[in-house]
Amino acid sequence: AMDWDKLRIFHAVADAGSLTHAGDVLHLSQSAVSRQIRALEESLNTTLFHRHARGLILTEQGELLFDATQSMYKRVEAATARIRDSEEEVFGKLRVTTTHGFGALWLAPRLAKLYETYPDLNIELMLEERVLDLPMREADVAIRMKE
C-alpha cells in the first residue's frame, strides 16, 4: 500500500534539496524527515538521494519517484481548483417536484428569469399531487405546502 504521508515528505525534500528546508516547510524536525525518507527507501528497497555536503541530490530512482509526485501534485491542484470553481457555478439538471397549482401558477412563470441568470441550469418540473420519493432519487427537490 502507498504511504501518502511518506510521499508527501519525499516530495518536500526533493523540492527543497535539503532535510532541514523540507522540515521547515512541513513543520517537522530534521530527524523526523530523515526517518521517514529512510523508511520510504527501505520499503522501496532503493536509495532515493545521494547525500552531499551541499545537500541532497536525487538518484535515478529518486528522479523517477519525484516525477510521479510532481504530476500527482499538479493533478491534485487542478482538481482542487475545479472543485472550487464548480462550487460557484450553477449548472446541470435539477428535478423539482411540486403540486400542479404551485408549479403552474407560481414556479413556472419565474423560471425564465432564473435561466437568464444561470443559462446552464436545466430544471425539470414534475407536477404531481403525490409526494415523490427524494431518497429514491425520483426528484432532487420537493416543494410542498403545509395544510
Side-chain angles (χ1 to χ4, degrees), residues 55-103:
L56 300 173
I57 295 162
L58 287 164
T59 62
E60 202 176 327
Q61 290 84 354
E63 289 282 0
L64 263 175
L65 192 58
F66 190 46
D67 268 358
T69 59
Q70 274 185 311
S71 69
M72 278 166 37
Y73 264 75
K74 285 192 186 106
R75 292 186 65 177
V76 169
E77 275 172 8
T80 306
R82 283 183 62 186
I83 289 165
R84 285 206 186 100
D85 287 348
S86 73
E87 283 174 357
E88 290 153 28
E89 284 175 45
V90 178
F91 61 91
K93 187 162 107 174
L94 189 66
R95 292 167 307 169
V96 179
T97 174
T98 190
T99 58
H100 289 279
F102 181 78

Side-chain angles (χ1 to χ4, degrees), residues 10 12 24 32 34 61 65 84 90 93 109 111 114 128 139 145:
F10 162 80
D24 292 343
S34 182
Q61 290 84 354
L65 192 58
R84 285 206 186 100
V90 178
K93 187 162 107 174
L111 289 181
L114 189 67
E128 303 213 24
M145 301 295 130

Side-chain angles (χ1 to χ4, degrees), residues 3 7-8 35 60 62 69 76 85 98 126 133:
D3 185 332
L7 288 178
R8 183 177 66 90
R35 264 199 313 277
E60 202 176 327
T69 59
V76 169
D85 287 348
T98 190
M126 301 154 79
D133 201 349

